[in-house]
Amino acid sequence: QVQLVESGGGSVQAGGSLRLSCVASGSIASINAMGWYRQTPGKQRELVAIITSGVNTNYADSVKGRFTISSDNAKNTVYLQMNSLKPEDTAVYYCNAVIEVVSAVGLGHVYWGQGTQVTVSS
């Protein structure tokens, strides 16, 4: 019913920037929240940033001041602008959304994208 597709990952040098995008498609009634998580080998997936109601945002302490999350409601898209990247930002970044589908309004379900690799070299 719903698909999330990420793009924009790649390899950059420390101090560089990347912009990730995630597009949600399907029989969407409403999107309650969209965000980004990341995961490295041996670690659990961790929250990077989340946006709700298109304006309210929260960030992990490790990325505050460097990353910015934003959304385009008309396009069902969320972005993550990543500046001043550090080697420790290297991870697979996953798009996440809580979505109500047309056939089940009022019942939100968590969806995940397939992930996009971000590699930051020293």
Side-chain angles (χ1 to χ4, degrees):
Q1 292 181 291
V2 174
Q3 182 180 27
L4 304 181
V5 179
E6 304 104 328
S7 62
S11 298
V12 297
Q13 293 183 326
S17 298
L18 285 173
R19 182 178 173 86
L20 305 183
S21 299
C22 174
V23 180
S25 61
S27 301
I28 299 172
S30 65
I31 299 177
N32 298 328
M34 297 190 78
W36 293 93
Y37 287 70
R38 65 187 181 187
Q39 186 171 22
T40 56
K43 295 183 63 178
Q44 292 186 313
R45 199 168 296 181
E46 63 177 351
L47 174 68
V48 176
I50 189 169
I51 184 167
T52 58
S53 301
V55 292
N56 298 318
T57 60
N58 293 97
Y59 297 90
D61 289 341
S62 60
V63 307
K64 287 181 179 178
R66 300 188 298 119
F67 291 10
T68 302
I69 188 170
S70 62
S71 63
D72 185 333
N73 295 334
K75 297 181 179 179
N76 290 331
T77 300
V78 65
Y79 306 94
L80 185 67
Q81 179 66 46
M82 304 185 292
N83 298 325
S84 301
L85 283 163
K86 304 175 181 179
E88 50 263 46
D89 294 318
T90 296
V92 177
Y93 284 71
Y94 295 90
C95 181
N96 167 269
V98 178
I99 296 174
E100 298 178 17
V101 298
V102 173
S103 61
V105 174
L107 181 62
H109 184 76
V110 179
Y111 295 89
W112 292 94
Q114 60 192 5
T116 184
Q117 177 70 48
V118 171
T119 301
V120 184
S121 60
S122 300

